[in-house]
Amino acid sequence: GTYSINITEMDEKGMGSLYLAYEKLKKELHEAGYFDPSHKKRIPSFPKAIGVITSPTGAAVRDCINTIKRRFPLAKIYVYPALVQGEDAKNSVAKYIELANKQGLVDVLIVGRGGGSIEDLWPFNEEITARAIYNSKIPIISAVGHETDTMLIDYVADKRAPTPTGAAEFAVPVKSELSAQIHSFDLTKYEN
């Protein structure tokens, strides 16, 4: 046979500890102004160099590099080889954000990784990671997981991308479209 259950009330005992920790920190960061739109930096239209903070061996880094090279090969790419899973990942990601800011080599940073379980993605819900993004002078595009995953860094970052590939698309223009625009200009208007 079949049966149905109607839940009319649920208290915190029914919520997972990670969800509660997420909501608590989200509230604290919101109240501290970390999500304030006035703090968001503009993503440059024509970046000369892009930093990618992610695992150097995962699909995310390959997707970012391939997308950037295909769309805007003029941009230089710097890969910051961060841990993106496990206890040390939050410190690793924060360290590379701080290093990129100190070096000043890139115009925009992509910070993220591919999909995984909530536990795998948790370093992107940590205060140290959010604080590093908030304090960054370089604009940051967050790119964690899949489109349905929302991490705390997505609220803090200057732009949220649904995937690492999407972040690379936000980071650079399309060379062929720029070329078509330039060729469409009527230069005869400017002749004497």
Side-chain angles (χ1 to χ4, degrees):
T2 63
Y3 66 92
S4 64
I5 298 173
N6 293 322
I7 299 173
T8 56
E9 187 177 332
M10 181 180 262
D11 62 16
E12 288 186 4
K13 292 175 191 154
M15 296 181 184
S17 61
L18 286 179
Y19 176 77
L20 292 174
Y22 174 90
E23 287 299 322
K24 180 178 184 269
L25 184 56
K26 182 179 174 185
K27 183 177 185 227
E28 290 171 10
L29 294 175
H30 178 69
E31 289 173 357
Y34 278 53
F35 307 161
D36 191 334
S38 68
H39 189 265
K40 308 280 184 200
K41 293 170 285 306
R42 190 181 65 76
I43 306 302
S45 299
F46 305 102
K48 292 180 185 136
I50 298 148
V52 181
I53 298 176
T54 192
S55 168
T57 59
V61 74
R62 287 190 308 275
D63 291 347
C64 286
I65 291 169
N66 291 338
T67 301
I68 292 166
K69 283 183 175 181
R70 177 178 41 82
R71 289 172 59 100
F72 197 64
L74 301 172
K76 195 169 191 172
I77 303 167
Y78 292 87
V79 176
Y80 294 89
L83 297 172
V84 293
Q85 185 173 323
E87 185 58 35
D88 294 331
K90 62 186 176 193
N91 296 318
S92 181
V93 171
K95 175 184 86 171
Y96 281 114
I97 292 170
E98 291 162 6
L99 178 64
N101 275 270
K102 187 175 181 181
Q103 290 176 332
L105 299 173
V106 299
D107 304 309
V108 63
L109 285 169
I110 295 171
V111 177
R113 59 158 287 159
S117 69
I118 188 64
E119 292 82 6
D120 293 342
L121 304 178
W122 198 255
F124 300 95
N125 282 328
E126 296 279 3
E127 184 175 2
I128 188 171
T129 315
R131 191 178 325 115
I133 289 173
Y134 181 78
N135 291 326
S136 177
K137 301 287 185 248
I138 300 168
I140 293 180
I141 303 171
S142 65
V144 181
H146 302 296
E147 193 162 351
T148 57
D149 298 315
T150 304
M151 304 292 111
L152 288 176
I153 72 160
D154 293 331
Y155 297 108
V156 182
D158 301 297
K159 183 141 185 90
R160 177 196 182 264
T163 63
T165 300
E169 290 172 351
F170 285 147
V172 293
V174 181
K175 185 180 122 183
S176 60
E177 290 175 9
L178 292 173
S179 180
Q181 280 183 325
I182 290 168
H183 286 39
S184 72
F185 290 140
D186 181 8
L187 297 178
T188 58
K189 293 193 280 189
Y190 303 104
E191 294 175 357
N192 288 332

